[in-house]
Amino acid sequence: TRPYGPSEFHCVFRDDRERDPARRWKAYGLFATGPRRRASQLSTSPDGVFWTGYPENPIVDPLQGVSHCIHDSLVWPEMGRYVGLLQVGDESHNYQWELMVSRDGVHFSRVSDGRPFLGRGDSGQWDQGGIQAAVPVQVGDESWFYYGGREKPWSSYPADAKEIWTFKSHCGLATIGTGRYAGFRLSDKQERGTLVTQPIRCDFDRELRLSVNAIADEL
């Protein structure tokens, strides 16, 4: 697991939930284990200045999912979890982003593995080539994702230098309700279903409201 080259930080934040002061600051990003093999890494710091790589890096390996070509990784704390985006690409390294989540910031599960959360545009659209993203900005009850898109996909990898400078990139915005990253649905042949959650324990003495949203046919 020794890195092939220097790790890259794609996001850095102070984790106020972390009990170990030596790991108060966290940084996630690229971890290369070879010249053409990329994974995801975690580094920690007590002060945001001096950093230590997590001993069990990489924390996300390309062989864990359907898509074996991964690159950048973004993580942020939200609603008691660590939510993240994993950059996933095809054989020519045209990237889009999939969703992942963790309870401890180390062990991540890929949500809807193989399906993009922030995907490339359709043919002819301004972001059909590849997507660059950032952690979301909280605006009211929404999460705003600012992202960059390339107008054309690479035709080969490594991309031709002349081809690189002829492709235009643009900036876009995608929004979603805060915490509404994923949902459940029935399979095509099912008309009824049951969803059982884990027990929910509340450690506070005040009124609690549970909101459930569903898209269903009228009875």
Side-chain angles (χ1 to χ4, degrees):
T1 60
R2 183 171 299 175
Y4 176 79
S7 299
E8 295 180 11
F9 290 1
H10 300 142
C11 63
V12 179
F13 61 90
R14 175 186 167 91
D15 187 1
D16 293 326
R17 295 177 60 235
E18 177 59 59
R19 296 181 179 180
D20 185 354
R23 301 175 57 185
R24 186 72 65 200
W25 289 82
K26 292 183 170 66
Y28 294 84
L30 172 67
F31 184 93
T33 57
R36 297 176 65 89
R37 188 173 185 275
R38 299 175 175 90
S40 299
Q41 65 91 21
L42 163 65
S43 293
T44 59
S45 171
D47 52 13
V49 179
F50 300 97
W51 294 87
T52 302
Y54 185 66
E56 297 182 17
N57 276 331
I59 58 171
V60 180
D61 189 278
L63 298 181
Q64 290 177 226
V66 174
S67 302
H68 293 170
C69 182
I70 66 175
H71 205 285
D72 298 357
S73 58
L74 303 167
V75 176
W76 62 96
E78 184 175 331
M79 301 176 68
R81 299 288 184 270
Y82 297 88
V83 185
L85 294 181
L86 183 67
Q87 197 178 35
V88 176
D90 58 19
E91 62 276 3
S92 296
H93 291 239
N94 297 300
Y95 289 102
Q96 49 192 0
W97 296 81
E98 294 184 4
L99 186 67
M100 59 182 184
V101 67
S102 171
R103 294 179 180 272
D104 59 6
V106 177
H107 304 91
F108 283 85
S109 298
R110 295 166 75 163
V111 182
S112 297
D113 188 13
R115 296 184 179 183
F117 172 77
L118 185 59
R120 297 161 51 195
D122 296 331
S123 177
Q125 294 185 337
W126 64 272
D127 55 355
Q128 67 165 320
I131 300 293
Q132 296 289 342
V135 297
V137 178
Q138 301 300 318
V139 181
D141 59 355
E142 291 186 329
S143 295
W144 289 21
F145 292 85
Y146 291 92
Y147 70 99
R150 193 175 65 249
E151 64 177 2
K152 295 181 181 179
W154 305 134
S155 59
S156 62
Y157 181 81
D160 183 84
K162 296 180 179 179
E163 185 181 46
I164 292 176
W165 293 108
T166 61
F167 289 176
K168 294 180 180 180
S169 297
H170 309 272
C171 184
L173 171 64
T175 64
I176 192 172
T178 300
R180 300 176 64 88
Y181 296 108
F184 295 90
R185 67 180 180 182
L186 299 173
S187 63
D188 294 337
K189 296 181 179 180
Q190 290 181 313
E191 296 182 355
R192 294 186 178 183
T194 301
L195 176 63
V196 180
T197 71
Q198 294 289 335
I200 301 174
R201 182 176 181 178
C202 301
D203 295 326
F204 50 83
D205 185 17
R206 61 181 175 84
E207 183 180 355
L208 180 68
R209 177 180 297 177
L210 176 65
S211 299
V212 179
N213 307 96
I215 300 175
D217 296 331
E218 295 183 2
L219 297 177

